[in-house]
């Protein structure tokens, strides 16, 4: 129903780049948010947050569809104000869009090349339609402590369990033109429930033979 990623946003190749796929037979209304300053209300030092986030939405061919800096300056302000999607800080960004099934990219960066911890959020704004958010991926610069990458997702709109695959990639990004020296050489992944309790973790994907066999069978085995 929604997906989000929290990460330290830097500049150049180290901005936050999120990809998501809409799957199905109908255009999907979505809400995209770029959050930064209000994270200071959740225990992150104010000096460490992304003070003025700007959000870009790019289409399947990489072309810019639209962007937003401050939601209060958006032509969509009246559709945002007073809803659950209104940020608590006027410097944060919101984009409302109705998108046909395809792959899209969201970029979060700081105005004037500023840096800090930020969040990208994507919400399904009409769950009755014959389409859904099929997956999300985020590329960013993973550090330590409060500056690791933290992804969140909410499952719902039905009464059955959903089969999920969560992957953490690092070394194989070299095949996409990123310098090997800048890659996360050995990522480790943790899955936590709504209470924050650790459910399962993984370092190297082949260390769990059962899971590895499922990944291979579904064409989702990492390259490294």
């Amino acid at each position: 129903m929604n997906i989000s990623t929290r990460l330290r946003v830097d500049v150049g190749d180290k901005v936050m780049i999120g990809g998501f796929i809409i799957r199905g037979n109908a255009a999907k209304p979505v809400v995209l948010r770029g959050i930064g300053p209000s994270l200071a209300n959740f225990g992150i030092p104010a000096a460490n947050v992304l003070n003025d986030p700007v959000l870009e939405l790019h289409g399947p061919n990489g072309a810019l569809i639209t962007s937003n800096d401050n939601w209060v300056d958006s032509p969509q302000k009246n559709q945002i104000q007073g809803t659950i999607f209104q940020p608590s800080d006027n410097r944060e960004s919101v984009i409302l869009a109705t998108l046909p099934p395809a792959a899209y990219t969201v970029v979060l960066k700081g105005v004037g090349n500023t840096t800090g911890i930020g969040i990208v959020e994507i919400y399904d704004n009409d769950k009755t339609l014959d389409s859904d958010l099929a997956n999300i991926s985020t590329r960013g610069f993973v550090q330590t402590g409060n500056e690791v990458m933290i992804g969140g997702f909410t499952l719902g709109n039905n009464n059955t369990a959903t089969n999920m695959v969560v992957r953490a990639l690092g070394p194989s990004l070299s095949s996409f033109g990123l310098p090997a020296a800048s890659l996360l050489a050995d990522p480790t992944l943790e899955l936590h429930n709504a209470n924050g309790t650790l459910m399962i973790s993984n370092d190297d994907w082949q260390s769990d033979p059962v899971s590895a066999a499922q990944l291979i069978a579904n064409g989702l085995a990492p390259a490294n």
Side-chain angles (χ1 to χ4, degrees):
M1 295 177 4
N2 68 64
I3 41 191
S4 63
T5 304
R6 194 191 93 178
L7 187 69
R8 177 176 173 81
V9 177
D10 217 304
V11 298
D13 282 339
K14 297 177 182 177
V15 298
M16 192 189 306
I17 302 174
F20 65 98
I21 295 175
I22 296 175
R23 175 185 62 183
N25 299 306
K28 171 66 68 176
V30 295
V31 179
L32 315 175
R33 304 205 314 169
I35 304 299
S38 61
L39 295 178
N41 301 324
F42 297 94
I44 298 177
N48 294 354
V49 304
L50 187 64
N51 277 318
D52 195 355
V54 60
L55 194 62
E56 297 178 351
L57 172 63
H58 295 257
N61 61 356
L64 178 67
I65 296 175
T66 188
S67 65
N68 176 249
D69 178 5
N70 305 319
W71 74 269
V72 291
D73 299 325
S74 167
Q76 300 175 318
K77 175 184 175 181
N78 290 338
Q79 299 168 261
I80 301 166
Q81 195 166 27
T83 71
I84 60 172
F85 300 116
Q86 177 184 330
S88 60
D89 192 291
N90 289 344
R91 292 168 290 177
E92 293 173 329
S93 306
V94 181
I95 294 172
L96 307 179
T98 299
L99 305 172
Y104 298 89
T105 302
V106 181
V107 177
L108 182 67
K109 53 191 176 182
V111 172
N113 284 331
T114 50
T115 63
I117 297 172
I119 291 181
V120 163
E121 301 174 332
I122 305 167
Y123 294 88
D124 181 339
N125 207 21
D126 189 343
K127 303 172 190 66
T128 66
L129 298 175
D130 185 19
S131 55
D132 59 14
L133 297 175
N135 70 39
I136 184 173
S137 60
T138 304
R139 194 193 88 182
F141 190 62
V142 178
Q143 298 194 56
T144 61
N146 275 332
E147 297 177 356
V148 297
M149 182 185 291
I150 302 175
F153 58 92
T154 302
L155 300 178
N157 206 37
N158 59 55
N159 295 316
T160 59
T162 302
N163 291 323
M164 302 288 294
V165 174
V166 185
R167 307 194 311 171
L169 306 182
S172 60
L173 295 179
S174 61
S175 62
F176 297 95
L178 293 175
S182 68
L183 301 179
L184 190 63
D186 192 356
T188 184
L189 188 63
E190 298 178 352
L191 178 63
H192 296 253
N193 66 15
N195 297 319
T197 302
L198 178 66
M199 299 171 66
I200 191 171
S201 64
N202 176 253
D203 178 7
D204 302 327
W205 70 274
Q206 291 180 323
S207 63
D208 181 343
V210 175
S211 175
Q214 293 176 324
L215 289 168
I216 293 169
N218 286 280
L220 294 171
N224 188 292

